[in-house]
Amino acid sequence: MVDVITLGELLIDFVPTVSGVTLIDAPAFKKAPGGAPANVAAGLVKLGVSSAFLGKVGDDAFGLFLKATLDQSGVDTRGLVFSQDARTALAFVSLRADGEREFMFYRHPSADMLFSPEEVAVDLIRAAKILHIGSISLISEPSRSATLTALKVARQQGLLVSYDPNLRLMLWPDAPAAKKDVLSIWDQTHLVKVSVEELFFLTGVEDLDRAVEALWHDDLRLFVVTLGADGCRYYTPRIKGQVQGFNVQAVDTTGAGDGFVAGLLMGLLNHPAAWHEDHVLRDVCRVANAVGALTTTQRGAIPALPTKSQVEAFLQAAEPGYEGPTNKASLG
Ligand code: ADP
């Protein structure tokens, strides 16, 4: 039995061996494990929370590498299946000198897109507390139906449903299709995390409070908007506020949002009162900001995700003597 189930894409990121180049100019690429839901699962284990990843990879060297990576991270992979019909997805990703990220995907189709409803480990979901998903598995069938099956089981069983769309626009035929798919499960979620750019894309509204209001629904317990180095804003049915980010030397922001989500879910699991009490929720967001910030200080996603003791040491150094509820109960 694990506390958190994440479901979705698991793929190989090919990252240039030198930084600041376009994909055209990159001389060589290094393989790295990728896929936001899998990063969240690995991040949770590092923070001391048990997790399982559900999804599909190819029955090939890259699929085996990804399974081994998750196994070594301590993520439960009983719900990871292998496809005989398609290869593990690949994404060539470069951070150009102008700061823009360039992506090129090999998914025609890839194994993750073939994850089917019959392959969803419903027993693992039934025994968990949180289901966390993204939107990439919603793009095409059968992975869309697999995601909807997991959602249905989670809701029937009373799990908390957490959603980080992690929009990759170029994977959809066009922007309206992306918006429609991302919002198609919106009213089935209890917790959503979006970046400020995603929020504006989804609503067309450039005022944060008004944009959140436009996407609010009755089942939502927490809506978090991440603001990069500026931290995050949080909204519940009763309270809202902003928690400033940490000042760090960021070298690679890959996985920051996933680390943030892992920190947030850890805090919410350890602090049932966080939903209702402003000071506890602020503290949970502060820890999530710390996990996100620390993830930017090293290259890659999974290798950069911090452990619980690293987060603890970072928070102590940032604010010596700080004795917030999260420091005592979640991290202590
Ligand atoms: P995403 O990676 O999903 O686009 P963000 O870039 O907003 O999301 O980052 C998620 C979180 O990670 C932020 O809310 C913040 O806590 C932390 N973070 C991201 N970039 C930085 C940075 N440069 N410095 C400090 N913290 C950061």
Side-chain angles (χ1 to χ4, degrees), residues 101 164 166-168 193-198 224-233 243-261 285-297 314:
R101 219 170 266 278
D164 174 1
N166 230 300
L167 192 69
R168 294 282 178 265
K193 173 261 170 201
V194 291
S195 68
V196 69
E197 296 82 11
E198 288 166 338
V224 181
V225 184
T226 57
L227 310 167
D230 289 331
C232 66
R233 275 186 81 78
V243 180
Q244 193 51 40
F246 292 92
N247 199 357
V248 291
Q249 194 73 42
V251 295
D252 177 8
T253 58
T254 310
D258 305 329
F260 179 93
V261 170
C285 289
R286 180 173 169 274
V287 171
N289 278 339
V291 180
L294 280 167
T295 310
T296 72
T297 60
F314 176 78

Side-chain angles (χ1 to χ4, degrees), residues 138-155:
L138 294 170
I139 298 176
S140 58
E141 291 291 1
S143 65
R144 179 178 172 82
S145 291
T147 312
L148 297 181
T149 297
L151 254 180
K152 194 170 157 197
V153 172
R155 286 188 59 96

Side-chain angles (χ1 to χ4, degrees), residues 205-288:
V205 178
E206 296 229 346
D207 175 89
L208 269 180
D209 289 0
R210 282 185 39 235
V212 169
E213 206 176 305
L215 289 178
W216 192 265
H217 67 80
D218 285 347
D219 262 7
L220 263 186
R221 291 195 221 161
L222 178 62
F223 193 130
V224 181
V225 184
T226 57
L227 310 167
D230 289 331
C232 66
R233 275 186 81 78
Y234 59 92
Y235 300 80
T236 79
R238 291 194 310 111
I239 46 181
K240 65 176 180 181
Q242 181 159 336
V243 180
Q244 193 51 40
F246 292 92
N247 199 357
V248 291
Q249 194 73 42
V251 295
D252 177 8
T253 58
T254 310
D258 305 329
F260 179 93
V261 170
L264 193 66
L265 297 183
M266 171 193 65
L268 294 172
L269 277 169
N270 291 340
H271 289 281
W275 304 101
H276 315 292
E277 288 184 38
D278 191 49
H279 73 285
V280 185
L281 188 53
R282 291 188 69 79
D283 224 36
V284 168
C285 289
R286 180 173 169 274
V287 171

Side-chain angles (χ1 to χ4, degrees), residues 42-48 266 287 290-291 294-295 298 302-315 331:
L44 281 162
V45 174
K46 281 195 165 175
L47 295 172
M266 171 193 65
V287 171
V291 180
L294 280 167
T295 310
Q298 284 182 51
I302 291 183
L305 292 161
T307 61
K308 192 161 83 163
S309 51
Q310 284 169 329
V311 178
E312 209 166 21
F314 176 78
L315 288 169
L331 288 162

Side-chain angles (χ1 to χ4, degrees), residues 65-148:
F65 164 71
L66 290 168
K67 180 177 184 304
T69 304
L70 290 186
D71 285 338
Q72 279 156 21
S73 303
V75 175
D76 183 329
T77 57
R78 281 177 291 167
L80 174 65
V81 294
F82 288 89
S83 172
Q84 306 299 328
D85 302 316
R87 294 283 196 213
T88 302
L90 309 181
F92 288 79
V93 191
S94 173
L95 184 62
R96 298 191 318 223
D98 62 6
E100 284 300 307
R101 219 170 266 278
E102 212 183 333
F103 291 96
M104 189 166 73
F105 289 98
Y106 282 69
R107 295 162 53 88
H108 305 92
S110 49
D112 58 304
M113 296 161 74
L114 303 184
F115 190 44
S116 69
E118 308 76 55
E119 293 170 325
V120 175
V122 289
D123 289 351
L124 283 177
I125 300 177
R126 287 205 181 99
K129 294 177 182 156
I130 296 177
L131 172 71
H132 174 77
I133 53 172
S135 69
I136 294 184
S137 59
L138 294 170
I139 298 176
S140 58
E141 291 291 1
S143 65
R144 179 178 172 82
S145 291
T147 312
L148 297 181

